[in-house]
Amino acid sequence: MSGRVIVITSGKGGVGKTTTNANIGTALARAGKKVVMIDTDLGLRNLDLLLGLENRIVYTIVDVVEERCKLKQALVKDKKNPNLCLLAAAQTRDKTAVTEEQLKNICEELQKDFDFILVDCPAGIEQGFQNAVAGATEAIVVTTPEMSAVRDADRIIGLLEAKEEIKSYKLLLNRVRPNLIKSNDMMSVEDVVEILSAELIGIIPEDTGIITSTNKGDPIVNDENALAGQAYNNVAKRIIGEDVPFLNLEEDTGVLAKVKKFFSKMIGKEN
Amino acid sequence: MKDIFTGLFSKVFGFFRQTEQVEENAKDTAVNRLRVVLMQDRTNLTPELLEKMRGELIELLSKYVEMDKEALELNFEQEGNQMALMLSIPVLRAKDEDEIEDAEDEENEVCEDESSEENDSEEALDEENNENSEEQEENPSDAENESNTNTKHSKSK
């Protein structure tokens, strides 16, 4: 087995890299794939929180490279899904604690046992980014329909294109607000795709459910009724190679529409 | 709590904004500003450099053709993954061989006689072009103004 190594990156902070990582990883695992997530944000780790695994971490990636433990010992299994593992970042060290070469070796080692290795990249374009990208052959660039996020995504795309190892990169547009797009207050999905001229792999609507799911340490893909959860599930399917149409976000997402949807689902089940 | 207030504010504000007629909406402004800034990011080419390039291109090309210098456009355009430098030159007429030779001779004279370079170049170039090149070389502030209008121009595209 030789797993795919996908780095999830964005340039700008706070656009939803870690959330994306947690959700795509969980969705892939739910689809029966063996998945390991690597948090490379040394000193600012958060992926463990989003997965609700913060109390289970014994060893970190730094312990692995400094040979205080075996790689397999450092992998933390997810609570719900045995297909899913996390290799946590060290919280007390900085970006220099792991080198590009070391990360590359870890990815190569993990490729033998897992279908997917998702690398959570820190914000910025410095060494942390270089490290995270080192072992990857694919990338997902997360951005939002905001100017600063798009500009930073463009920088990241430029850097990714310069890397021979990265064979493909795709764009994930996060925190899309259909109402604002409708009123011409926000750039549309088409605008961003055209400006960055990158292939789209997912459109994730802004969803307050993300906040509660983060608070609970339970990724939103586990909630089948959440729109953002469905959107992330679709991203995972596209990664696997399924041809899934993008969600129609234009539809009314008001309370009334939700009630309607609920009832139509009930009727659907009875039939 | 803060989110609720800012959300409410933007809703109220948005309501009033919708009632009045706005020329350019926030989305278009964002798209246009981004286009300009990304061109500069991607190419490392500042508006000043672009303007300098424009000036030099005019100088070079006017040896061969007579053109409408005001209407000359130099812009970046994106075609898929490829960035292209688009130069649009409204040609009034092509110069004949004698004129081109004359221009070349005068150019050579300029090179030979460095001490009176300024005077020679004034003779060598036609009046319009001379005005233009003087603006470029002697008044950096003017060049800056021009580059500003150029940025605006590409924004409106």
Side-chain angles (χ1 to χ4, degrees), chain A:
Chain A
M1 168 153 36
S2 183
R4 288 163 64 184
V5 186
I6 307 174
V7 63
I8 294 168
T9 179
S10 72
K12 189 177 178 300
V15 295
K17 272 183 304 294
T18 307
T19 307
T20 297
N21 206 313
N23 279 290
I24 292 178
T26 307
L28 285 170
R30 279 165 64 102
K33 303 290 175 188
K34 288 199 78 187
V35 182
V36 60
M37 293 179 263
I38 309 177
D39 191 347
T40 64
D41 203 350
L42 301 184
L44 292 168
R45 78 171 181 214
N46 279 319
L47 191 50
D48 52 334
L49 279 181
L50 301 205
L51 296 163
L53 298 175
E54 67 275 15
N55 292 326
R56 302 191 180 198
I57 295 164
V58 183
Y59 297 112
T60 68
I61 190 165
V62 175
D63 294 317
V64 176
V65 300
E66 291 175 359
E67 294 178 352
R68 275 189 293 276
C69 70
K70 295 239 170 63
L71 178 56
K72 278 193 179 131
Q73 285 177 290
L75 300 181
V76 185
K77 267 216 166 74
D78 185 56
K79 284 188 255 184
K80 284 187 180 168
N81 203 317
N83 285 334
L84 188 62
C85 284
L86 169 70
L87 178 56
Q91 184 65 347
T92 52
R93 300 289 291 272
D94 66 17
K95 308 279 184 270
T96 56
V98 178
T99 66
E100 289 180 42
E101 199 57 39
Q102 285 165 332
L103 230 133
K104 218 169 165 179
N105 291 339
I106 289 175
C107 287
E108 271 166 24
E109 184 88 25
L110 291 169
Q111 275 181 299
K112 294 173 197 159
D113 298 319
F114 291 89
D115 299 307
F116 288 96
I117 295 107
L118 302 183
V119 186
D120 192 18
C121 179
I125 51 175
E126 297 85 16
Q127 195 54 48
F129 165 78
Q130 302 293 347
N131 286 348
V133 171
T137 55
E138 297 169 58
I140 291 177
V141 179
V142 182
T143 188
T144 67
E146 289 157 83
M147 291 187 64
S148 48
V150 174
R151 185 188 198 177
D152 291 1
D154 190 71
R155 276 284 275 155
I156 288 290
I157 287 172
L159 293 173
L160 290 174
E161 277 180 343
K163 296 218 175 276
E164 262 178 42
E165 299 81 15
I166 302 290
K167 303 292 177 225
S168 78
Y169 62 85
K170 301 225 166 96
L171 195 66
L172 186 139
L173 197 55
N174 200 13
R175 310 189 71 168
V176 173
R177 297 169 71 170
N179 291 339
L180 284 186
I181 292 174
K182 222 173 177 179
S183 62
N184 278 329
D185 286 314
M186 183 179 249
M187 282 185 279
S188 69
V189 176
E190 294 76 27
D191 289 332
V192 177
V193 170
E194 199 205 317
I195 286 172
L196 295 175
S197 62
E199 199 186 325
L200 198 62
I201 198 163
I203 307 164
I204 316 293
E206 172 94 353
D207 193 333
T208 47
I210 294 281
I211 297 168
T212 42
S213 82
T214 306
N215 288 345
K216 289 181 195 158
D218 185 18
I220 201 161
V221 284
N222 288 324
D223 176 2
E224 267 145 33
N225 293 319
L227 202 58
Q230 288 172 31
Y232 273 125
N233 257 315
N234 288 348
V235 175
K237 284 181 187 165
R238 287 182 203 115
I239 290 174
I240 294 169
E242 280 179 48
D243 190 14
V244 192
F246 291 103
L247 282 182
N248 180 19
L249 301 177
E250 285 293 306
E251 67 184 340
D252 199 1
T253 49
V255 180
L256 203 72
K258 273 183 183 157
V259 173
K260 268 189 205 161
K261 208 172 165 186
F262 178 76
F263 279 110
S264 63
K265 257 190 189 168
M266 293 275 286
I267 294 162
K269 269 175 195 163
E270 275 167 19
N271 293 342

Side-chain angles (χ1 to χ4, degrees), chain B residues 96-136:
Chain B
D96 56 41
E97 281 180 24
D98 290 343
E99 280 175 284
I100 295 169
E101 264 176 37
D102 283 352
E104 274 173 357
D105 289 345
E106 279 166 32
E107 218 172 68
N108 291 337
E109 277 172 35
V110 174
C111 291
E112 281 163 21
D113 194 356
E114 278 179 18
S115 57
S116 59
E117 193 189 348
E118 258 190 47
N119 294 334
D120 271 358
S121 67
E122 256 174 50
E123 284 165 15
L125 305 162
D126 62 19
E127 269 179 34
E128 264 182 77
N129 197 23
N130 185 34
E131 271 170 32
N132 208 324
S133 65
E134 270 189 348
E135 263 175 34
Q136 298 290 320

